[in-house]
Amino acid sequence: MCSRTSRNSRTGRPRSIEADTAILEATRAALVDLGWSKLTMGDVAGRAGVAKTTLYRRWANKNELVVDAVAVLFDELELPDLGSLRADIEHVVLQFAALLERPETKTALMAVVAESTRDAPLRERIRASIVDRQKRLVLDGRRRAQQRGELPSDRDPTTVEATDDLIFDVIAGAVVHRALVSAEPVDGQWVARLSALLVGGLGAVATLGE
Amino acid sequence: MCSRTSRNSRTGRPRSIEADTAILEATRAALVDLGWSKLTMGDVAGRAGVAKTTLYRRWANKNELVVDAVAVLFDELELPDLGSLRADIEHVVLQFAALLERPETKTALMAVVAESTRDAPLRERIRASIVDRQKRLVLDGRRRAQQRGELPSDRDPTTVEATDDLIFDVIAGAVVHRALVSAEPVDGQWVARLSALLVGGLGAVATLGE
Amino acid sequence: MCSRTSRNSRTGRPRSIEADTAILEATRAALVDLGWSKLTMGDVAGRAGVAKTTLYRRWANKNELVVDAVAVLFDELELPDLGSLRADIEHVVLQFAALLERPETKTALMAVVAESTRDAPLRERIRASIVDRQKRLVLDGRRRAQQRGELPSDRDPTTVEATDDLIFDVIAGAVVHRALVSAEPVDGQWVARLSALLVGGLGAVATLGE
Amino acid sequence: MCSRTSRNSRTGRPRSIEADTAILEATRAALVDLGWSKLTMGDVAGRAGVAKTTLYRRWANKNELVVDAVAVLFDELELPDLGSLRADIEHVVLQFAALLERPETKTALMAVVAESTRDAPLRERIRASIVDRQKRLVLDGRRRAQQRGELPSDRDPTTVEATDDLIFDVIAGAVVHRALVSAEPVDGQWVARLSALLVGGLGAVATLGE
DNA sequence: GGCTAAGCGAGACGGTACGTCGAGTCTTGGT
DNA sequence: ACCAAGACTCGACGTACCGTCTCGCTTAGCC
């Protein structure tokens, strides 16, 4: 989460662990109250009952702090087996949409992505903390569908990975775009249509390389 | 573009039209050089050879200015008839990806979307200046495919509109997510897979309501 | 009062005379309401129902305008013959003190004097519009006292002038200092003491050159 | 000099003492170079090698800063015993005139007095920092003259104080008026006349109450 | 009675300074 | 070595006024 700058952290007073969690909670609370652009380090420090120094000892800047504060929320997403690929997709899409409704996620996610376009370390942190961690959902869903026989078994592993990535970008992208850019509700109808599109299209993608 | 606050503009010195265009150009240039978060009103004013006051007389804040400066870039997108739905999709996706590669777009788009989550007027401005204007691409592509017989003709107009919206969110969202969040290249292979998914899936969506 | 810039003012629309007086009145009103430092040209123009351009066509800047607006107030001072030098002095001192109590005078006088320390034209304007015009009071008072026999008749005219100047600076300076710097009331007792000092001291000054 | 806003200054980084003196020196230098009206807080900060915030943390505005910066100059005035009341007066008047010739004093004194007409706290600050501190000169001079037998000993203490105040206002006011309003030199002749007036008049003031 | 030159109200313009705020760093004394 | 507190530098913010300019529209006097 936050890196130790000193090579040997045996000596000296150890960092307070409560401070870490208090800061992250305070960051999320500040995001809810103020949104990304009005959130200040001083305010977060104040809410956490901590000095600004303590924040900067742990995170290099506002962006990295917010990524860490928000990343954990994405771990709530899970993929219970609902018996069909389509049901699994609909479930995870609704979960993801609910997550994007929360003000701390809504305001923070696009902001850090925007910052990351000019900040490679931040981009890496986002990828590691959020993006790559959630690809598991696509992998699990696809494997399960293969076990059920809804999808053909793997042939070329690179093709499989490329398709996984595509599905991930399509689902995540479509939901984000619907919720934040188009600013329309992600409701049952829309989700049904999206999953129909995906399930129907996956066959066509699979036969592409042949 | 920028609203007149005074009800009657007959009297007094009229606003300089050159200033308007100079400011928008300067804004794009500053986005290229500095990115969203480092862009300052003072810097834009300086580049445009204009006083800061002149900026604030026309735009209430950085966000609205940037939306106006960037919106025009999206009008470059067009949809030449390439003979098949799939070719049309691939073409517009590549165009859009190229647009997102430009630093002024890349850095600005997500930032203003992030801000818009807490700013309804800005959200409206984005929708009016960017989102709704580009839906025309989906409409044209769909109509053309229907004329070609690639897609069935319209039955229920609300279903058609919902599908158009879905396709718009899926295409735009997937490309943005691929380019900015996953930070992977939108290359020919990826585009081919995406368009295969869409063309293949559209049939499934069409038969959904039956 | 205000100079004509054009060499020949025969042609063209003549300047509005009402504007002149309206501006000076508005300036005094603004001085009362806002004081010197908060007074703005725009506000004066607004009060006078006049465009800013009209102000600048007549006065080069805020300082000169204020000098003209305030100067006329000093012309109220007069010296009725009260029968003795001492009574005359007490009367004019009380008059001057009353003038300095008025907010427009109080706030403006010291301000323009302060500005004049770095602005020779303004210094000249103050001298011409205010200082030199009020020296008449000292001259009249002295002549009258000589006629009454309270003071010896003139011998050396330069000595007389120097003494007049001294008395002027002492009276004006003492009252201003009492009222504005020490910020104590100029009451009957104080005035009595001051006039006693002056009347008593004038003899000593007269015998100085011998 | 500058008030501590926080009640308990034990904690946190203490204020830099060098900053205080650097700011006051820079203020005087800026007064010399630019005069009162052109002096800006940003410029002072720059000269002092200090951030603007640091100025505002210590002084609420330009006026208070300038009073503090200039007040110390008045402490240079002193009253060596020259053997006679008249010599003492002439000496202090010349000293004061020399002080008023210095550009930092000349430009600042009247300006802050002008501002003080609308700003009671500033008026109090001027009184405490400048006016009351320099009344000592009058007190010392009067006591010394009494010891020499040039003036009668004290009878009524309130009369004495009133006369001290009068002399203070007359001397300070006359010199300021001569130097800044009339804008004439305070030379030996003028000083001789002024001290003759005072010494001659003091007797008359003393016999006033009887 | 039309011409012309200046005046006029309105308000945008380029500047400059304001006073505030936030970022991120540094310096205390104390744990 | 940690911590809370708070002062520090730096730089941008959005506002206010300055004094100038550009409009379209009077308003006089002279031909």
Side-chain angles (χ1 to χ4, degrees):
Chain A
M1 175 182 290
C2 52
S3 55
R4 301 265 153 188
T5 14
S6 51
R7 53 233 148 270
N8 184 2
S9 28
R10 291 290 172 75
T11 176
R13 173 173 169 180
R15 287 193 184 160
S16 154
I17 313 144
E18 301 89 38
D20 264 32
T21 64
I23 291 167
L24 292 176
E25 266 173 37
T27 305
R28 283 187 290 269
L31 280 171
V32 172
D33 292 355
L34 309 169
W36 159 260
S37 61
K38 299 262 154 78
L39 176 147
T40 72
M41 296 299 262
D43 183 86
V44 170
R47 284 169 192 259
V50 140
K52 261 202 298 175
T53 333
T54 305
L55 263 71
Y56 283 105
R57 206 172 286 121
R58 290 164 160 82
W59 289 275
N61 52 53
K62 191 165 133 170
N63 294 321
E64 312 227 329
L65 169 60
V66 169
V67 171
D68 281 0
V70 167
V72 64
L73 298 175
F74 286 82
D75 291 338
E76 296 175 5
L77 299 177
E78 50 184 23
L79 196 70
D81 191 338
L82 297 176
S84 76
L85 174 57
R86 191 152 159 182
D88 286 2
I89 290 177
E90 293 193 3
H91 184 255
V92 81
V93 163
L94 283 169
Q95 261 191 319
F96 187 44
L99 181 58
L100 279 184
E101 277 304 305
R102 294 174 61 170
E104 59 268 43
T105 329
K106 183 175 3 188
T107 194
L109 186 61
M110 289 298 96
V112 295
V113 168
E115 292 296 312
S116 79
T117 59
R118 298 217 130 220
D119 181 346
L122 180 63
R123 194 155 53 239
E124 254 341 282
R125 197 180 195 101
I126 292 174
R127 189 204 292 271
S129 302
I130 304 183
V131 180
D132 284 352
R133 286 165 76 95
Q134 305 312 326
K135 282 204 175 151
R136 62 185 166 87
L137 296 166
V138 175
L139 264 71
D140 289 355
R142 189 249 305 152
R143 281 206 205 96
R144 208 175 281 165
Q146 287 173 327
Q147 286 168 358
R148 286 195 207 98
E150 291 175 291
L151 291 178
S153 287
D154 298 358
R155 294 135 314 163
D156 178 11
T158 60
T159 302
V160 171
E161 196 191 324
T163 307
D164 283 352
D165 285 355
L166 173 70
I167 298 304
F168 182 68
D169 285 328
V170 168
I171 293 181
V175 174
V176 168
H177 201 272
R178 174 80 177 177
L180 304 187
V181 183
S182 298
E184 304 275 2
V186 177
D187 53 18
Q189 283 218 337
W190 188 84
V191 174
R193 261 185 260 270
L194 174 62
S195 53
L197 183 81
L198 290 170
V199 174
L202 268 174
V205 177
T207 59
L208 194 68
E210 299 171 1
Chain B
M1 175 182 289
C2 52
S3 56
R4 301 264 152 189
T5 13
S6 54
R7 41 229 140 276
N8 185 5
S9 294
R10 283 306 158 70
T11 180
R13 177 172 173 177
R15 288 197 182 159
S16 156
I17 315 143
E18 302 90 40
D20 265 29
T21 65
I23 290 167
L24 292 175
E25 267 173 39
T27 306
R28 286 187 288 269
L31 281 171
V32 172
D33 292 356
L34 309 168
W36 158 263
S37 61
K38 298 260 154 75
L39 177 145
T40 72
M41 297 299 261
D43 183 87
V44 170
R47 285 169 192 259
V50 139
K52 243 195 319 173
T53 346
T54 302
L55 261 75
Y56 284 107
R57 203 174 287 121
R58 290 165 158 79
W59 289 276
N61 52 55
K62 195 165 127 169
N63 296 320
E64 312 229 328
L65 169 59
V66 169
V67 171
D68 281 359
V70 168
V72 65
L73 299 176
F74 286 80
D75 291 338
E76 295 176 6
L77 299 177
E78 50 183 24
L79 195 70
D81 190 338
L82 297 176
S84 76
L85 175 57
R86 188 150 164 184
D88 285 2
I89 291 177
E90 293 193 3
H91 184 254
V92 81
V93 164
L94 284 169
Q95 262 190 318
F96 187 43
L99 180 58
L100 281 183
E101 276 306 302
R102 294 175 61 168
E104 57 270 44
T105 328
K106 186 182 348 196
T107 194
L109 188 60
M110 290 297 97
V112 295
V113 167
E115 293 296 314
S116 79
T117 60
R118 298 217 126 222
D119 180 348
L122 180 63
R123 194 156 55 239
E124 225 20 67
R125 197 182 195 100
I126 293 174
R127 189 206 292 272
S129 301
I130 304 185
V131 179
D132 284 351
R133 287 166 75 93
Q134 304 313 323
K135 282 205 176 150
R136 61 183 166 88
L137 297 167
V138 175
L139 263 71
D140 289 355
R142 190 248 307 151
R143 281 206 206 96
R144 206 175 281 165
Q146 287 174 325
Q147 285 168 355
R148 285 195 208 98
E150 291 175 291
L151 291 177
S153 285
D154 298 357
R155 293 136 316 162
D156 178 12
T158 59
T159 303
V160 170
E161 197 192 323
T163 308
D164 283 352
D165 285 355
L166 173 70
I167 298 303
F168 182 69
D169 285 328
V170 168
I171 293 182
V175 174
V176 168
H177 201 272
R178 172 78 176 179
L180 304 187
V181 184
S182 298
E184 305 275 1
V186 176
D187 53 19
Q189 282 218 338
W190 188 84
V191 173
R193 260 185 262 268
L194 173 62
S195 52
L197 182 80
L198 290 170
V199 174
L202 266 174
V205 176
T207 59
L208 194 67
E210 298 173 1
Chain C
M1 177 182 289
C2 52
S3 55
R4 301 264 150 186
T5 13
S6 53
R7 51 233 149 269
N8 184 3
S9 30
R10 291 287 173 77
T11 179
R13 174 174 172 180
R15 288 191 184 159
S16 157
I17 314 145
E18 301 90 38
D20 265 32
T21 65
I23 291 168
L24 291 175
E25 266 173 39
T27 306
R28 284 187 290 268
L31 280 171
V32 172
D33 291 355
L34 309 169
W36 158 262
S37 61
K38 299 262 154 78
L39 177 146
T40 73
M41 296 300 261
D43 182 86
V44 170
R47 284 169 191 259
V50 140
K52 259 201 300 176
T53 335
T54 305
L55 263 73
Y56 283 105
R57 207 173 284 119
R58 288 164 162 80
W59 290 274
N61 52 53
K62 190 166 134 171
N63 294 321
E64 311 227 328
L65 169 60
V66 169
V67 171
D68 281 0
V70 167
V72 65
L73 299 176
F74 286 80
D75 291 337
E76 296 175 7
L77 299 177
E78 49 184 24
L79 196 70
D81 190 337
L82 297 176
S84 76
L85 174 56
R86 191 152 159 181
D88 286 2
I89 291 177
E90 293 193 5
H91 184 254
V92 82
V93 163
L94 284 168
Q95 260 190 318
F96 187 43
L99 182 58
L100 281 183
E101 278 304 304
R102 294 174 61 169
E104 58 269 44
T105 329
K106 187 179 353 193
T107 194
L109 186 61
M110 290 297 95
V112 294
V113 167
E115 293 297 311
S116 78
T117 59
R118 297 218 130 220
D119 181 346
L122 180 63
R123 195 155 53 237
E124 254 342 281
R125 197 181 195 101
I126 292 174
R127 188 204 293 270
S129 302
I130 304 183
V131 179
D132 284 352
R133 286 166 75 96
Q134 305 313 324
K135 282 204 176 152
R136 62 185 167 85
L137 296 167
V138 175
L139 264 70
D140 289 354
R142 190 247 307 152
R143 280 207 206 95
R144 207 175 283 166
Q146 286 174 327
Q147 285 168 355
R148 287 195 207 99
E150 291 176 292
L151 290 177
S153 286
D154 297 359
R155 294 136 312 162
D156 179 11
T158 60
T159 302
V160 171
E161 197 192 322
T163 308
D164 283 352
D165 285 355
L166 173 69
I167 298 304
F168 183 68
D169 284 329
V170 168
I171 294 181
V175 175
V176 169
H177 201 272
R178 174 80 175 177
L180 304 187
V181 183
S182 297
E184 304 275 3
V186 177
D187 53 19
Q189 283 219 336
W190 189 83
V191 174
R193 260 185 260 270
L194 174 62
S195 52
L197 183 81
L198 290 169
V199 174
L202 268 174
V205 176
T207 60
L208 194 68
E210 300 171 1
Chain D
M1 175 181 291
C2 52
S3 56
R4 301 264 152 189
T5 13
S6 53
R7 42 229 140 275
N8 184 4
S9 294
R10 281 310 157 69
T11 180
R13 177 174 172 177
R15 289 200 182 156
S16 157
I17 314 142
E18 301 91 38
D20 264 29
T21 65
I23 290 168
L24 292 175
E25 268 173 37
T27 305
R28 285 187 289 270
L31 280 170
V32 173
D33 292 355
L34 309 169
W36 158 263
S37 61
K38 299 262 153 74
L39 177 145
T40 71
M41 297 299 261
D43 182 88
V44 170
R47 284 169 193 259
V50 140
K52 243 195 317 174
T53 1
T54 302
L55 261 74
Y56 284 107
R57 205 174 287 120
R58 291 165 158 80
W59 289 276
N61 52 55
K62 193 165 127 170
N63 296 320
E64 312 230 327
L65 169 60
V66 169
V67 172
D68 282 0
V70 168
V72 63
L73 298 176
F74 285 80
D75 291 337
E76 295 176 6
L77 299 177
E78 50 183 23
L79 195 70
D81 190 338
L82 297 177
S84 76
L85 174 58
R86 187 150 164 185
D88 285 1
I89 291 176
E90 293 194 4
H91 184 254
V92 80
V93 164
L94 284 169
Q95 260 190 319
F96 186 43
L99 181 58
L100 281 183
E101 276 305 304
R102 294 175 60 168
E104 58 269 45
T105 328
K106 186 182 350 196
T107 194
L109 188 60
M110 290 298 97
V112 295
V113 167
E115 293 296 314
S116 79
T117 60
R118 297 216 126 224
D119 180 347
L122 180 63
R123 194 156 54 239
E124 227 18 70
R125 198 183 195 102
I126 292 174
R127 188 205 293 273
S129 301
I130 304 185
V131 179
D132 285 350
R133 288 166 74 94
Q134 305 312 325
K135 282 205 175 149
R136 62 183 166 87
L137 297 167
V138 175
L139 264 71
D140 289 354
R142 189 247 308 151
R143 281 205 206 98
R144 208 176 281 164
Q146 287 174 326
Q147 285 168 356
R148 284 196 208 97
E150 291 175 290
L151 291 178
S153 284
D154 298 357
R155 293 138 314 163
D156 179 11
T158 60
T159 303
V160 171
E161 198 191 323
T163 308
D164 283 353
D165 285 355
L166 173 68
I167 297 303
F168 183 68
D169 284 329
V170 168
I171 293 182
V175 174
V176 168
H177 201 271
R178 172 81 176 177
L180 304 187
V181 183
S182 299
E184 304 275 2
V186 176
D187 53 18
Q189 282 218 337
W190 189 84
V191 174
R193 260 184 261 269
L194 174 62
S195 52
L197 183 80
L198 291 170
V199 174
L202 267 174
V205 176
T207 59
L208 194 67
E210 297 172 3

